[in-house]
Amino acid sequence: MKDKPGYCSSEYLGPEYYPGQVVDGVRHEDAHQLSFDDCSFDLVISSDVWEHLPDPYTAHREIFRVLKPGGRHIFTIPFYQASILDETRSVVNKAGEIEYLLDPIYHVDPISDEGSLVYSIFSIETLVKLKHLGFHTTLHKLYSPVRGILGNNGLVLDALKLY
């Protein structure tokens, strides 16, 4: 996709950088405060990101803002299929410190040796909150042993910006 017109990729490189800054050839973006103009993209793709955001719904509002009407956000998240409410595992308090509400979980992170903290695991509540933001979201459950997609939680969400 990188050869397509308008293609842009980014990583979160840390709080010491400002959104849109390029560091060693990699664009830094904070999903909570994107540097892009309103209605900039037809498609945003993210994988294994949302659980690591302290405020994922602020980030979803930012994605909504930068998508054109009819644009899509395709993304993956850890998802409790039998739960109604999201599981908030950690929060950032008013002093800017991390509070662990449950035992911390860290995922492997190629950018950080310490790993990436899981703040949330999502559920049906996510679909409701995305609807309130203006998305029509379809959840796709993937299973294809021939392609190596195994297990019970191969989920991809397709959030369409309605207006």
Side-chain angles (χ1 to χ4, degrees):
M1 292 197 45
K2 68 181 179 178
D3 296 328
K4 299 289 182 191
Y7 174 82
C8 178
S9 67
S10 68
E11 293 283 342
Y12 179 76
L13 301 175
E16 63 272 24
Y17 302 107
Y18 60 87
Q21 183 175 354
V22 177
V23 180
D24 296 327
V26 176
R27 183 185 184 107
H28 165 79
E29 288 291 343
D30 179 344
H32 298 99
Q33 182 183 358
L34 297 170
S35 68
F36 304 106
D37 291 336
D38 295 356
C39 302
S40 297
F41 295 99
D42 295 305
L43 176 66
V44 174
I45 300 172
S46 58
S47 179
D48 302 328
V49 171
W50 297 94
E51 66 268 29
H52 304 294
L53 300 174
D55 189 353
Y57 295 102
T58 292
H60 281 296
R61 277 191 290 283
E62 277 292 279
I63 295 293
F64 188 86
R65 180 184 67 76
V66 303
L67 279 173
K68 297 175 184 175
R72 290 183 132 76
H73 180 209
I74 310 294
F75 61 103
T76 60
I77 54 174
F79 193 90
Y80 288 144
Q81 297 176 45
S83 294
I84 302 295
L85 300 178
D86 293 348
E87 178 180 88
T88 303
R89 302 190 58 80
S90 303
V91 295
V92 175
N93 65 23
K94 292 182 182 188
E97 301 164 334
I98 296 172
E99 287 185 25
Y100 302 100
L101 306 177
L102 298 168
D103 288 339
I105 297 173
Y106 289 86
H107 289 169
V108 174
D109 184 348
I111 296 175
S112 167
D113 291 336
E114 64 193 33
S116 191
L117 177 64
V118 173
Y119 285 90
S120 304
I121 298 179
F122 302 95
S123 68
I124 299 299
E125 180 179 7
T126 299
L127 303 175
V128 174
K129 287 184 173 182
L130 291 174
K131 174 77 172 169
H132 286 294
L133 290 175
F135 285 111
H136 172 76
T137 305
T138 305
L139 186 131
H140 301 277
K141 186 171 182 177
L142 306 179
Y143 181 78
S144 176
V146 191
R147 293 186 174 90
I149 303 170
L150 304 170
N152 200 24
N153 210 23
L155 303 175
V156 176
L157 288 86
D158 176 358
L160 171 67
K161 180 177 178 175
L162 295 174
Y163 54 89

